Amino acid sequence: MNTPALLSGPALWWRLLVIGGLWGSSFPLLRLIAAEMSPFALAAVRGGFAALAVLAFLAASGQLRGPIRRYWLPALVLGTCNGWVPNLLTASALGHIQAAPAALIHAGTPLLVALIAYVVLREERPGLRGVAGLLVGFAGIAVILGPDALVGGASFTGGLLILLSGLFYAMGTVYARKARIGGAPQIVLGQQVVAGLVAGGLSLPFGGVESYIQPGWVYGVLALLGIATSALPLTMFLRLLARSRVTDASMVGYIQPPFAAAVGALLLGEWPSPLVLVGGAVVLCGVWLATSRR
């Protein structure tokens, strides 16, 4: 059986644009409701809407048939690494940091992917240029954090939470690539179910039932987050991982910051500072070096 050729050029980039654009738009949307709802309840409802969306699509398209038992492990791993943990960390972070710098720090995820791939995926280890990119990229993150990095200010706290969420995404990305799980619909559904259930279970002792008492517009935003910025791009991303190098797929980090900045400016009136823009440019240069084929 022939292995399909890896995606490159326009076939790769239109997928990266759609996935990165949807994920990037999630930062200002999350920030819009971060002050209204506890991070645990927010992550639970977001995961619940995503699971319902995937379930409805699979039922309508007749893709619910087939074995589910063999997918429980990848669903559990991805539901943790790409689900409830980063959802919770991001929701907590956006109470401390604006959408644009959060997305720019998250754009460093490919650097973390390259770092983990160096240890786990021997065939995709970055060369000297990639190692230089790792150093440049992390220097850019330090620039974005700015003076708060020295005094432990609010944006520093938010930045660290975003960086930690990126680490979990990176681990999930490398796992999905190494396990060659592809975009099986059962995995996509299982991941969202795990994300919603675990976050929901944690929300009761840490936030209480009252944290779910919110106006209708909050649930409207959460539905948009769960369906358009979670279920859809995740499905596309898992399929992309089956047909591209892990470092190429992780370049969705390139795409997220411009969308986060544009939506954040329009929706929240948050305009990135010059320091954030400079740091973001340094991060993206580092990502480009780290994901280089040389």
Side-chain angles (χ1 to χ4, degrees):
M1 185 177 180
N2 294 330
T3 302
L6 294 178
L7 291 172
S8 62
L12 171 67
W13 277 99
W14 79 257
R15 289 172 171 83
L16 293 176
L17 280 169
V18 174
I19 297 169
L22 291 173
W23 270 340
S25 300
S26 70
F27 288 95
L29 290 174
L30 279 168
R31 182 157 170 78
L32 182 66
I33 58 176
E36 305 291 334
M37 201 171 196
S38 79
F40 294 96
L42 195 158
V45 177
R46 181 183 182 183
F49 273 121
L52 289 174
V54 174
L55 180 62
F57 171 76
L58 296 181
S61 59
Q63 297 184 58
L64 281 178
R65 305 186 193 91
I68 297 178
R69 187 177 305 170
R70 69 188 183 97
Y71 294 117
W72 72 267
L73 180 58
L76 181 61
V77 173
L78 293 178
T80 300
C81 291
N82 291 9
W84 70 269
V85 173
N87 285 349
L88 177 60
L89 290 170
T90 303
S92 300
L94 287 170
H96 302 277
I97 189 170
Q98 293 185 351
L104 285 166
I105 293 171
H106 196 270
T109 299
L111 304 173
L112 300 171
V113 170
L115 191 61
I116 297 172
Y118 185 84
V119 177
V120 178
L121 301 175
R122 299 181 62 183
E123 70 278 9
E124 297 191 22
R125 285 183 173 180
L128 291 177
R129 187 172 179 175
V131 173
L134 293 174
L135 298 175
V136 171
F138 286 116
I141 291 173
V143 172
I144 293 172
L145 292 175
D148 282 336
L150 301 177
V151 298
S155 15
F156 179 61
T157 301
L160 282 183
L161 291 173
I162 292 293
L163 192 60
L164 187 57
S165 75
L167 176 61
F168 276 92
Y169 275 121
M171 290 189 294
T173 297
V174 173
Y175 168 80
R177 178 62 172 164
K178 187 173 180 61
R180 306 285 180 178
I181 60 176
Q186 293 90 342
I187 295 176
V188 178
L189 176 60
Q191 172 179 337
Q192 300 298 350
V193 170
V194 169
L197 287 179
V198 175
L202 291 172
S203 71
L204 296 178
F206 287 101
V209 178
E210 60 273 12
S211 62
Y212 290 94
I213 303 174
Q214 301 293 334
W217 71 268
V218 171
Y219 280 95
V221 174
L222 283 167
L224 188 61
L225 281 165
I227 298 169
T229 72
S230 293
L232 177 58
L234 171 64
T235 303
M236 294 181 64
F237 185 69
L238 289 178
R239 292 180 177 176
L240 178 62
L241 276 175
R243 300 182 58 192
S244 68
R245 294 195 324 154
V246 65
T247 46
D248 285 346
S250 68
M251 283 195 296
V252 292
Y254 279 123
I255 314 300
Q256 294 181 44
F259 279 88
V263 176
L266 293 173
L267 191 63
L268 305 171
E270 295 180 352
W271 299 90
S273 69
L275 186 66
V276 166
L277 295 177
V278 171
V282 175
V283 168
L284 294 181
C285 286
V287 172
W288 177 73
L289 286 171
T291 56
S292 171
R293 283 181 166 81
R294 294 186 181 180

